[in-house]
Amino acid sequence: MPSSAPSFAELLGQCERSAVHLELRDSYAPTGRFEAWRRGERVDWEDRVSWWHPYDQLIADSVARGVVIRRARVVSEPVTEYIRWEHYVTRANITAGEQVRWLPRRRATDIALPGNDFWLFDDRLLRVHHFSGDGEVVEDEITRDPATVKLCSTAFEAVWERAVPHQLFHV
């Protein structure tokens, strides 16, 4: 189903202070980059041109203009192969300027979590990701509903407070 939601680039471009992303799935639809990693291919981190993507530049540009970007991932342990790959490629997110933390799911039992991944921009606009069972994006939903925004903001902050910084989380 095509999405009529504004693009991520548009939303981040309008963002003034903060963008937070909560990820709750243990796997997403495989990409070519994931499949290459599964075959044993690794990123040459010294050759930035080979791995720096428009997404990375968008994040770097937003951080440069003062937007704080944080990503938290709630993951099952032992982690899935997909999460091992995500952990590996998170170096690009960090280089672009994102702050990333990981929370083992067993430490999230008493946190009221929303049912879907989301991005929250400036604590007022929420982009909710709806996925199929196999991890394909089905639709993105935009809402400013105060109760939903509050739930998601509170959930993100609770996860962030408990989560382990990327450099200290070992998969």
Side-chain angles (χ1 to χ4, degrees):
M1 175 186 321
S3 178
S4 61
S7 72
F8 175 75
E10 291 170 310
L11 294 171
L12 192 57
Q14 297 166 7
C15 191
E16 298 173 354
R17 296 177 316 282
S18 67
V20 301
H21 186 34
L22 184 61
E23 296 181 4
L24 301 167
R25 296 178 58 91
D26 286 318
S27 66
Y28 296 85
T31 64
R33 291 172 57 204
F34 172 64
E35 295 301 334
W37 179 84
R38 289 179 79 195
R39 290 190 303 271
E41 296 176 28
R42 296 299 180 258
V43 174
D44 178 358
W45 294 111
E46 299 302 314
D47 180 15
R48 183 169 155 159
V49 171
S50 70
W51 58 266
W52 190 259
H53 296 287
Y55 173 84
D56 302 311
Q57 191 60 53
L58 178 62
I59 296 300
D61 292 346
S62 298
V63 169
R65 63 183 173 77
V67 177
V68 175
I69 301 176
R70 297 181 295 156
R71 177 187 304 258
R73 293 178 171 134
V74 178
V75 295
S76 300
E77 291 181 310
V79 300
T80 63
E81 184 179 33
Y82 192 94
I83 294 299
R84 282 196 312 274
W85 171 74
E86 268 195 339
H87 188 272
Y88 173 73
V89 296
T90 293
R91 181 169 175 177
N93 300 77
I94 301 291
T95 301
E98 281 189 37
Q99 300 171 40
V100 180
R101 292 186 182 181
W102 304 78
L103 181 64
R105 194 172 308 280
R106 72 182 185 290
R107 295 187 55 212
T109 302
D110 62 344
I111 299 174
L113 295 172
N116 299 293
D117 291 11
F118 64 83
W119 276 94
L120 177 59
F121 301 94
D122 289 334
D123 294 313
R124 67 175 195 267
L125 187 140
L126 197 62
R127 181 179 176 131
V128 179
H129 302 300
H130 297 285
F131 293 94
S132 65
D134 61 1
E136 291 283 346
V137 174
V138 174
E139 182 179 24
D140 286 327
E141 170 189 0
I142 302 295
T143 184
R144 292 178 186 268
D145 174 67
T148 306
V149 166
K150 183 178 180 180
L151 169 76
C152 291
S153 177
T154 300
F156 180 88
E157 294 304 333
V159 168
W160 187 259
E161 184 178 307
R162 286 187 194 175
V164 178
H166 175 73
Q167 66 275 17
L168 301 176
F169 186 76
H170 303 287
V171 296

